[in-house]
Amino acid sequence: MAVEIVQVGDVVLRQAARPLTLEEIPRKDTQQLIDKMREVMRAAPGVGLAAPQIGISLQLAVIEDRAEYVKDIDPQILADRERKPVPFLVLINPQIVERSADEAEFFEGCLSLSGFSAVVKRARGVTVEFLDREGNPQRMEARGWFARILQHEIDHLNGCLYIDRMQSRSFMNLDHLTRYWKDLPMERVRKELRLDLSVPGGQA
Ligand code: ZN
């Protein structure tokens, strides 16, 4: 059965998701849910998926950035975004324990805001603590696009969407992103869209 990705406006995307207990992690239903989330993420396709996006309010997210997703993207753009492949990763009860002071601004999208994109400022590096799918504690440092994905997915588990943090004047549909903006340096995007006038994003 196809799983629908919940779109913005559904309350599940605004709830703080419940942490999993150590007893729940090895259970068959939890392990099957992880496999289902990987399948839904790949089918979308997306580089991350949080359980609330399929209507389940649990602190569980999956991430995977495959080399094939970026094969047609200009190498300079990938270098600017510090985007490198990320192997499949399961995050249970994740917490961001450190954020770098340096930040980066790029267009970002979300499977739950289908067809739209906006510029979001995020920390360039984060340290995350979480449990893996065996329930083992893990600590991971991430930089660049991977750090952005982590922040985006962990936001979902706390009921936060990128629109809460976006530069509001940069919000646009994907046709226009592709047609006018996606290949421009961020400096030029910032100047032409006059992002200095954006209403500051929420502090959630
Ligand atoms: Zn999202």
Side-chain angles (χ1 to χ4, degrees):
M1 194 181 74
V3 173
E4 293 225 350
I5 295 178
V6 172
Q7 295 299 303
V8 63
D10 192 311
V11 71
V12 74
L13 294 175
R14 291 315 198 166
Q15 291 165 339
R18 172 177 77 72
L20 276 90
T21 64
L22 282 177
E23 293 71 39
E24 283 176 302
I25 295 170
R27 263 175 26 194
K28 199 174 168 193
D29 55 346
T30 307
Q31 295 296 318
Q32 283 175 341
L33 173 60
I34 292 168
D35 292 340
K36 173 57 76 176
M37 285 174 62
R38 175 169 54 194
E39 196 182 299
V40 172
M41 171 176 68
R42 285 179 177 171
V47 295
L49 186 75
Q53 293 183 276
I54 54 167
I56 297 171
S57 195
L58 286 176
Q59 295 260 342
L60 169 61
V62 293
I63 289 176
E64 182 181 49
D65 198 1
R66 306 174 94 172
E68 67 189 72
Y69 294 158
V70 301
K71 65 179 178 355
D72 298 326
I73 302 178
D74 185 309
Q76 185 56 53
I77 287 179
L78 294 178
D80 289 348
R81 283 158 182 64
E82 301 175 88
R83 185 167 173 182
K84 296 171 192 143
V86 178
F88 179 68
L89 177 67
V90 177
L91 300 154
I92 296 171
N93 304 346
Q95 299 279 345
I96 295 175
V97 294
E98 275 178 53
R99 287 171 202 269
S100 68
D102 56 327
E103 295 178 314
E105 273 186 329
F106 290 111
F107 280 100
E108 186 172 311
C110 178
L111 296 173
S112 294
L113 282 133
S114 183
F116 294 95
S117 184
V119 172
V120 183
K121 187 189 279 186
R122 295 203 187 261
R124 221 180 254 277
V126 290
T127 304
V128 177
E129 290 181 353
F130 59 98
L131 302 174
D132 64 22
R133 71 182 296 172
E134 277 83 46
N136 300 313
Q138 303 287 347
R139 186 182 168 97
M140 184 177 272
E141 283 179 36
R143 296 279 304 168
W145 204 254
F146 182 26
R148 176 171 294 266
I149 301 169
L150 282 163
Q151 291 170 81
H152 180 116
E153 299 310 327
I154 294 171
D155 270 354
H156 271 302
L157 303 181
N158 295 304
C160 181
L161 301 172
Y162 80 74
I163 48 175
D164 305 335
R165 302 186 186 280
M166 70 182 176
Q167 298 283 342
S168 53
R169 294 178 64 92
S170 68
F171 187 65
M172 63 179 63
N173 71 33
L174 290 180
D175 289 344
H176 288 97
L177 176 71
T178 305
R179 197 177 311 166
Y180 303 121
W181 303 102
K182 77 173 171 55
D183 296 328
L184 294 185
M186 280 311 300
E187 212 171 290
R188 189 142 159 236
V189 171
R190 172 157 267 292
K191 186 162 173 273
E192 293 198 19
L193 291 174
R194 301 166 69 209
L195 296 191
D196 291 342
L197 299 177
S198 277
V199 175
Q203 301 298 307

